[in-house]
Amino acid sequence: MTGKTTVNLPLRIYGRSAELDAVAALSDRLRAGHGGALLLVAEPGLGRTALLARAARDFAAGTGPRPGSAAPADCRPPLAGGPALLRAVAGRIDAVPLHRLCAPVGAGPGGAGPGGGAGPGAGPVDPSALLGGFAGGPLLLCADDVHRWDAASRAALGVAARRAPGHPRAVGFLLSAAEHRADDPGLRGVPVVRLGPLEDGPATALLDALTGEDADPSVRDELLYEAEGNPALLTALVARLSPDQLRGHRPLPRPLADAAVLLGTVGDRLAALPADTRLLLLLAAAAHAADPDPDAVGADAAQVLAAARRAGLDPAALDPAETEGVARSDGGRITFGGTLLRRAAYDSEPSSRRRAAHALLASSVDAERHRLLHLLHRAAAADGPDARLAAELVAAAAPGTPTSGTERTAALARAAGLTAPGNARTTRLTDAAEYARQAGRPRRARELLAGTRDAAAHDAVRGRAELVRGALALRDGPVGDAYEALLMAAARLDPYDRERALAARTEAMGAAWAAGDVAACLAALAPESGPAFPARVRVTESGAAGVPESGSVREHQLPARGHPLPARGPAFPPDPLSDYRAGLRTALRGDLPAAREPLRRVLERARDDDDPARLLRAGVAALVLGDAGAACHANARALAVARSRGLAALTPQVLEHLAYAELRAGQHARARAHAQEGLRAAHRAGQRNVAAHQHAILAMIASVEEDAAAVAAQAGAALAVARPHGLVQAATLAEWASARADLCRGRAGEAAARLGPLTRPGPHRGHFAVRMLALPCFVEAAALSGEPAHARAAVEEFAVWAAQGCDPQAPAQLARCRALIAVPEEADALYALALVRHEWAGGDFERARTQLLYGMWLRRRRRPGEARSRLRDARVAFERCGAPAWAEQARAELRAAGEAPAPAPAGASPVARLTPQQLRIARCVAEGATNREVAARLCVSPRTVDHHLRNVFALLGVRSRTELARLVDRAEKG
């Protein structure tokens, strides 16, 4: 037993659909009797050899390469360059004689073997021999690593590949080369396909296949991040771990990708370089490693070359690396050919050489102009704790200094590494993690927090670490875990840092809100009691960075755990969150009138505020008060502040709040723009929970502006995260969007089935802040699908909520809901009342929906003239607010009410000859509905549906519902 995971899978291509299509197109061209060529280029480990193997096997089998099929690994030894290829052509080994043709490792000019002698058949190759040396059917010649061939053979191969498309015989060339040799003169003119890193989906599929889907979620994330989309590296990382490590039962090795794994992936490109070149590359990699900017491109060439001169190196030592594509100097920066090469250049060296490299760089950096960088290199060169250097790093990154969040993260992390275990070290790691979180680098924050699990640390210190950990989980993880971590942080911080304790409880309320748990919200919002304490307590010897006030408490001054520190100075000021917390607490208990006053005060204080967190709270208060316009204003101001200050971690959340407020205000175009921006920002910041909410908002907007497929895509993306992370609010919005899309398509029964579990009272229902907003949709769906009893119960509950003034649209929606379930004698007046109330409340989309339902009701009451008037208004309103699918539904109702359709153009589908009612029935049947289901949707009898359907079959000349579905589908697409 080795304790490692055995990776023994058949070769399989993951992703690569575009590349496989290009290879398949070449194969198809050959089978059609035409020649062609293709050059695959990629960095090591990205799978070009595997792709060649697949192409060879599939061509031999007579099939085109397609994603997902397997190919056995090739066991034949490599052959030497062009002469070997000539022998293969002359031998004509059926369709594909071999798929790996390359010079042996260490081959010299002319195909020389490892010993330096000439390989068999070495010498120049005639390109015409490659094209004319065979007879018979199509031939695909696959050659791997052609950049390792001798120059003459490579040039001949390039000439033959370029001539192949116009050659009378069907011969194709599928070649592969390293990325840095893609521009080789001998291969110019051959069409190039570049293989990049795998995207998240294919990389995840590969990892699942390697691990049998048995890896812990956090381990999966680490492996995918570390592999950077490189399938060979991902395979090597999995092979390195034991089953217990994969399942999360044992800690992962650090670094996860060690020198052996990295070197095994990048091959011999570094080992073949001269010693001086490798040392210069180490200096460049060390300079990059110490750079506090994670997005920096390369290393400062002047600093690296200055350090190189101190080490006695000639700057020309970089030339071999540039020749081999390992690194290059360009624009004052030295950049590597890929991140794996840079990591291998650094991690493959012994720690003593890495420290020496940093010492050289430190001596080459101007300590006055670049103080922080100088200190960072000194810290990386240190071989043990150094309290004085750690204090210098903390001082260089203290608040008030011209340093960014990422610079403070780097400084405090290095300072923690130079600090002996204890409160000071844990505090520095925590502060570094918090700065990393604020800078939108959650992965780095979690790495730093992993070093804070020190049972001996003081409760105040551990509480701060839990606060950062909970804040991270709230935005990217199960919100139940975030809630518990934040409450634990509050309990530990209470005796020492009431301000942070209160912030932790408010964040915990946010986690409970996302989970739709009212009881948990109230627990987190419970009023605080107890003696007054200092706002914050310092727990490091030299003062913890990231705390704005001055003063410090040395470790020996900390009280025993569980005992509060004595108050010094004035008493703790009144809680600035008190109105917000009290207002939400009262509202969640159902007393909205009593909640208005404290929430209005929150809004008033935010009018001229420039604190984005307080502005976000004002936006929430405005929505609870039913003032979507004020919520938009507060959130827009918060966005302006967040952008101006570069708050990478807060900006996605601000965009989420703003997009939701605009959605509530009916400003769909603005909401879409902000949600799309927020989605990109959330992905950049690693905030999957925020991204899920943005997807849910986009699904709601798509249910107005786009088709059902767009709604399904956005809702599916939201639910993929919302369900495992417990995001009930996002899940409810996504399901509501799907139901609204069903209503738009006339599928009331499906909409009612979706919304029923979300809107009915009781456990496992929808989110408490969303279910009442979705209730009018459920009433509509239930009424139109023949479930008036369910609709009536929902209307009574909605009436109670509408009376509280939480949503300006609610009074009009209530009148519409009552019209849907009313007797005919009352419905007319209720629809008219709803339209009057819409005039007061605004909102084109909701008003258009009422007009649509009113027109449908009038048509069914055999009042076609009045129906057409209402339906025309609905169609125009839908078009004006950008709801084409809803406008089409209004047009269909207009045609059913007798509106003359536009004449069908010449050559139109036979479907265009159907009457409006026949067309609606045909569409329903094409979607898979039975006659009874169609009757329920269209409010007609099953006998009427049967009559129309027989006429449809006769007019279109079809004999089955399947044929009808195909014909309708073609007509809709064309």
Side-chain angles (χ1 to χ4, degrees), residues 274-357:
D276 284 358
T277 302
R278 293 200 303 272
L279 178 54
L280 200 151
L281 291 176
L282 171 60
L283 289 170
H288 192 284
D291 193 326
D293 182 2
D295 299 321
V297 178
D300 187 293
Q303 292 177 1
V304 172
L305 294 178
R309 282 190 287 269
R310 285 179 178 269
L313 297 178
D314 186 339
L318 186 62
D319 292 349
E322 290 187 312
T323 301
E324 292 301 316
V326 174
R328 70 180 185 276
S329 180
D330 183 24
R333 311 291 292 183
I334 296 177
T335 57
F336 282 82
T339 56
L340 295 185
L341 285 168
R342 173 175 52 77
R343 290 163 61 185
Y346 188 76
D347 292 336
S348 63
E349 297 290 347
S351 59
S352 59
R353 281 174 61 85
R354 294 199 298 266
R355 289 197 301 271

Side-chain angles (χ1 to χ4, degrees), residues 302-657:
Q303 292 177 1
V304 172
L305 294 178
R309 282 190 287 269
R310 285 179 178 269
L313 297 178
D314 186 339
L318 186 62
D319 292 349
E322 290 187 312
T323 301
E324 292 301 316
V326 174
R328 70 180 185 276
S329 180
D330 183 24
R333 311 291 292 183
I334 296 177
T335 57
F336 282 82
T339 56
L340 295 185
L341 285 168
R342 173 175 52 77
R343 290 163 61 185
Y346 188 76
D347 292 336
S348 63
E349 297 290 347
S351 59
S352 59
R353 281 174 61 85
R354 294 199 298 266
R355 289 197 301 271
H358 283 290
L360 282 169
L361 289 163
S363 64
S364 304
V365 172
D366 188 329
E368 295 298 324
R369 293 180 57 199
H370 305 289
R371 176 168 173 72
L372 181 56
L373 184 59
H374 172 76
L375 292 172
L376 289 170
H377 279 302
R378 284 178 55 197
D383 60 357
D386 187 332
R388 177 175 295 180
L389 180 55
E392 288 185 71
L393 281 163
V394 171
T401 59
T403 49
S404 66
T406 54
E407 289 173 330
R408 292 176 183 175
T409 296
L412 290 165
R414 288 291 188 184
L418 299 172
T419 307
N423 288 318
R425 182 177 186 276
T426 303
T427 300
R428 286 167 178 165
L429 284 171
T430 300
D431 289 338
E434 174 60 9
Y435 278 124
R437 186 191 73 81
Q438 291 177 8
R441 300 179 62 204
R443 186 175 299 278
R444 178 61 175 149
R446 290 189 176 92
E447 290 173 358
L448 293 164
L449 285 175
T452 66
R453 301 184 186 276
D454 183 358
H458 192 274
D459 274 352
V461 178
R462 296 169 67 196
R464 289 181 59 191
E466 285 300 324
L467 175 55
V468 180
R469 191 172 286 113
L472 286 166
L474 176 57
R475 290 154 185 84
D476 187 29
V479 288
D481 297 351
Y483 181 81
E484 295 300 333
L486 291 162
L487 286 189
M488 183 186 300
R492 286 175 171 167
L493 289 167
D494 260 335
Y496 316 107
D497 191 342
R498 289 287 296 281
E499 186 177 342
R500 278 200 176 95
L502 199 59
R505 286 194 169 85
T506 304
E507 287 274 80
M509 187 279 299
W513 186 288
D517 190 334
V518 176
C521 284
L522 290 171
L525 291 170
E528 302 299 315
S529 61
F533 301 111
R536 303 229 176 126
V537 173
R538 306 296 217 122
V539 293
T540 66
E541 293 193 14
S542 58
V547 182
E549 56 274 13
S550 61
S552 65
V553 177
R554 295 184 179 275
E555 290 191 39
H556 67 270
Q557 293 177 307
L558 288 168
R561 187 176 284 103
H563 292 276
L565 293 174
R568 294 183 296 174
F572 187 79
D575 177 8
L577 298 179
S578 59
D579 278 337
Y580 178 74
R581 292 169 59 84
L584 286 186
R585 184 169 62 246
T586 305
L588 287 169
R589 286 173 175 163
D591 191 355
L592 283 171
R596 293 185 184 281
E597 190 57 34
L599 293 178
R600 282 201 181 102
R601 286 198 295 270
V602 172
L603 270 177
E604 286 295 326
R605 282 196 293 266
R607 288 187 184 278
D608 300 314
D609 205 337
D610 63 354
D611 180 275
R614 289 195 293 267
L615 288 166
L616 283 181
R617 291 196 290 270
V620 173
L623 286 180
V624 174
L625 292 171
D627 191 344
C632 291
H633 176 76
N635 291 318
R637 186 176 177 85
L639 178 61
V641 174
R643 282 173 170 165
S644 68
R645 297 180 185 174
L647 304 178
L650 190 61
T651 298
Q653 185 183 2
V654 174
L655 285 163
E656 174 202 337
H657 281 235

Side-chain angles (χ1 to χ4, degrees), residues 60 199 203 242 353 431 455 524 574 682 825 868:
E199 295 182 355
S242 69
R353 281 174 61 85
D431 289 338
E825 294 76 14
R868 288 195 293 272

Side-chain angles (χ1 to χ4, degrees), residues 44-235:
L46 292 181
R48 53 189 170 85
T49 298
L51 194 53
L52 256 68
R54 261 287 302 279
R57 189 210 63 174
D58 289 348
F59 190 83
T63 62
R66 290 291 182 267
S69 63
D74 184 80
C75 300
R76 289 169 290 187
L79 301 178
L85 185 57
L86 274 177
R87 292 198 302 275
V89 172
R92 180 75 179 139
I93 309 173
D94 198 31
V96 182
L98 68 169
H99 80 262
R100 185 171 176 82
L101 295 169
C102 65
V105 175
V125 179
D126 181 4
S128 62
L130 292 174
L131 291 169
F134 71 95
L139 179 67
L140 177 64
L141 301 171
C142 301
D144 198 9
D145 288 341
V146 296
H147 61 279
R148 298 168 64 192
W149 287 26
D150 63 275
S153 294
R154 192 166 59 248
L157 182 65
V159 171
R162 288 190 292 273
R163 292 178 181 174
H167 197 271
R169 289 175 177 152
V171 58
F173 294 84
L174 184 60
L175 318 176
S176 95
E179 173 70 36
H180 69 284
R181 300 296 296 274
D183 296 328
D184 185 280
L187 300 174
R188 284 177 187 164
V190 181
V192 174
V193 173
R194 283 182 162 81
L195 278 67
L198 292 179
E199 295 182 355
D200 290 346
T204 301
L206 171 59
L207 179 58
D208 288 343
L210 293 171
T211 62
E213 302 186 27
D214 198 28
D216 177 81
S218 62
V219 174
R220 283 163 53 93
D221 289 346
E222 288 247 18
L223 289 168
L224 291 170
Y225 177 80
E226 193 76 13
E228 300 181 17
N230 188 298
L233 179 55
L234 183 59
T235 303

